[in-house]
Amino acid sequence: DAMVIQNPRYQVTQFGKPVTLSCSQTLNHNVMYWYQQKSSQAPKLLFHYYDKDFNNEADTPDNFQSRRPNTSFCFLDIRSPGLGDAAMYLCATSTTSAGEQYFGPGTRLTVT
Amino acid sequence: AQSVTQPDIHITVSEGASLELRCNYSYGATPYLFWYVQSPGQGLQLLLKYFSGDTLVQGIKGFEAEFKRSQSSFNLRKPSVHWSDAAEYFCAVGTKTSYDKVIFGPGTSLSVIP
């Protein structure tokens, strides 16, 4: 089945220690998104790629970076995680920027 | 600016009862409209979508939604709720402006009592 895969499902990192979350897709979609979701809140868009074009949300902290080396993979790098970055991180894909999105299962990040 | 509101933060219904979750949006043109469901610890799953045409759309798991342009609403309904429907529900709007994007509402948490 075509899908969006996120690894790892659970990630524990130390305060200030860089961490990378990964996302891959077999849907061959043009658009890939990274969302941050805290408890009982809506997903908050951090940035997205339309093909190789990177689109950063205005309020995304500089601490968050992303890479998309090819159509299938996208990475979220948190350079110096703080306690406030503990959250669920969701990857999603879409064929267009305003269309339906297909979500991965998420990575739960804990910062100690 | 575009926005999405879900007036009910939390709803509790009895199993077998009908359900309606409300969604209102603010957007100058006809948007793309979506409902997603999220079970605890999982990603979001698309329930249904509206792009154009028939304003009553059918989705998965027995859900349907109706687009009412005059009320800027896209309410989600299910005639008989099952215990497995307990989850968080998000309404979302896709806007075709100079910057295409999808805006999520704050979500409605659904509890189902036996």
Side-chain angles (χ1 to χ4, degrees), chain B residues 90-106:
Chain B
F90 294 97
C91 180
V93 170
T95 63
K96 295 288 288 181
T97 62
S98 58
Y99 178 55
D100 298 348
K101 68 185 303 180
V102 172
I103 301 167
F104 284 86

Side-chain angles (χ1 to χ4, degrees), chain B residues 73-92:
Chain B
S73 69
F74 189 56
N75 293 349
L76 182 70
R77 300 193 293 251
K78 187 170 185 178
S80 178
V81 171
H82 188 262
W83 64 267
S84 60
D85 294 324
E88 189 83 18
Y89 291 80
F90 294 97
C91 180

Side-chain angles (χ1 to χ4, degrees), chain B residues 10-43:
Chain B
H10 185 255
I11 285 181
T12 299
V13 299
S14 297
E15 191 169 16
S18 63
L19 171 70
E20 182 170 34
L21 302 182
R22 296 182 291 163
C23 172
N24 294 94
Y25 67 89
S26 172
Y27 181 56
T30 300
Y32 300 155
L33 295 162
F34 312 93
W35 275 99
Y36 289 87
V37 61
Q38 185 179 32
S39 297
Q42 300 297 316

Side-chain angles (χ1 to χ4, degrees), chain A residues 9-10 33 35 37 40-43 45 48 55-57 88 90 96-106 108, chain B residues 32 34 36 38 40-46 49 51 88 90 93-96 99-107:
Chain A
R9 292 293 311 277
Y10 301 91
Y33 306 82
Y35 289 90
Q37 187 181 30
S40 301
Q41 295 183 18
L45 182 63
H48 75 278
N55 298 274
N56 196 33
E57 293 300 298
M88 175 76 89
L90 296 167
T96 69
S97 297
E100 68 262 41
Q101 298 181 17
Y102 296 80
F103 283 81
R108 171 74 64 188
Chain B
Y32 300 155
F34 312 93
Y36 289 87
Q38 185 179 32
Q42 300 297 316
L44 281 69
Q45 180 184 20
L46 180 70
K49 64 187 179 188
F51 284 178
E88 189 83 18
F90 294 97
V93 170
T95 63
K96 295 288 288 181
Y99 178 55
D100 298 348
K101 68 185 303 180
V102 172
I103 301 167
F104 284 86

